[in-house]
Amino acid sequence: MKFNLKTITAASLLALSSQLWAAENYVIDTKGMHAFVEFKIQHLGYSWLKGRFNDFSGTFSYDDKNPEKSNVKVTIKTASVDSNHGERDKHLRSDDFLDVSKYPEAKFVSTKVVSTGKGTAKIHGNLTLHGVTKEVVIDAVEVGAGKDPWGGYRRGFTGTTKFAMADFGITKNLGPASTHVEMILNIEGIRQ
């Protein structure tokens, strides 16, 4: 089989162009605490109770040219729940809510990304919480991307989703105003 310079050049350019448009892989920066998984729920309909999970990890890939090829995977250690009140956190870890001894992790794995405009998307995926897996949709917005002072490259997103606790088998009655939890995700990833 004979190869000429044009064939080799064309093949090289094709390989290079596919690399330029391929998804970039990122690790969520939890070591530097540049990422947050937060939640809020109404307290009796009178105020908002807010908190976060302090221990989580994850990765995402992002394809700027084809956002629908992007994906996200996050694992949360449920015992790391922190609502800024020790007794409440103990209750949240109990079998009334997260039951962390039985379900030490919650996971989100994306199944589909739908671009809704420049830098915005709906991320469909499976959330496993309290031993139950259900689809949720995260409304995501790109915050920005670029070089960091340490020679790396970072990309950040914020996202929100809301779901009924009962959908995940958490049935503790907190009143009619407190049936749904809103999750707020601020994610900064370091390109690998």
Side-chain angles (χ1 to χ4, degrees):
M1 185 181 286
K2 259 181 139 175
F3 292 100
N4 64 30
L5 186 57
K6 283 185 181 179
T7 304
I8 293 170
T9 302
S12 297
L13 288 173
L14 183 60
L16 180 60
S17 68
S18 67
Q19 288 174 0
L20 290 175
W21 290 310
E24 297 175 334
N25 296 313
Y26 294 83
V27 170
I28 296 172
D29 184 10
T30 55
K31 288 181 183 174
M33 288 308 295
H34 294 116
F36 301 89
V37 174
E38 301 167 304
F39 64 88
K40 70 178 188 176
I41 184 170
Q42 282 200 21
H43 182 249
L44 306 174
Y46 307 136
S47 64
W48 288 100
L49 182 146
K50 293 185 175 185
R52 66 186 197 179
F53 291 93
N54 293 325
D55 189 358
F56 62 96
S57 61
T59 60
F60 65 89
S61 69
Y62 183 72
D63 188 329
D64 199 26
K65 302 293 183 194
N66 298 297
E68 66 279 355
K69 292 183 178 178
S70 304
N71 64 68
V72 181
K73 293 178 185 174
V74 177
T75 300
I76 299 168
K77 302 292 185 185
T78 54
S80 73
V81 67
D82 181 354
S83 69
N84 199 31
H85 188 275
E87 286 301 308
R88 179 175 45 232
D89 293 344
K90 185 177 175 183
H91 191 202
L92 290 174
R93 292 181 188 111
S94 77
D95 59 4
D96 278 348
F97 294 100
L98 296 172
D99 200 357
V100 301
S101 61
K102 191 172 181 181
Y103 308 109
E105 292 183 341
K107 293 184 180 185
F108 175 80
V109 178
S110 66
T111 56
K112 175 173 67 170
V113 175
V114 179
S115 177
T116 56
K118 178 133 180 80
T120 63
K122 290 193 177 290
I123 303 172
H124 297 252
N126 292 321
L127 174 63
T128 301
L129 174 66
H130 199 251
V132 176
T133 301
K134 295 273 185 184
E135 183 182 37
V136 297
V137 179
I138 297 171
D139 292 312
V141 177
E142 184 177 18
V143 176
K147 294 180 181 178
D148 64 27
W150 308 281
Y153 189 89
R154 293 170 182 257
R155 186 176 296 276
F157 295 89
T158 188
T160 58
T161 190
K162 187 175 181 179
F163 56 83
M165 291 189 302
D167 287 349
F168 292 90
I170 302 171
T171 57
K172 180 74 174 172
N173 186 356
L174 299 174
S178 306
T179 59
H180 287 68
V181 174
E182 185 175 340
M183 300 292 296
I184 305 99
L185 315 159
N186 289 290
I187 302 300
E188 183 176 304
I190 303 170
R191 186 169 64 188
Q192 300 302 291

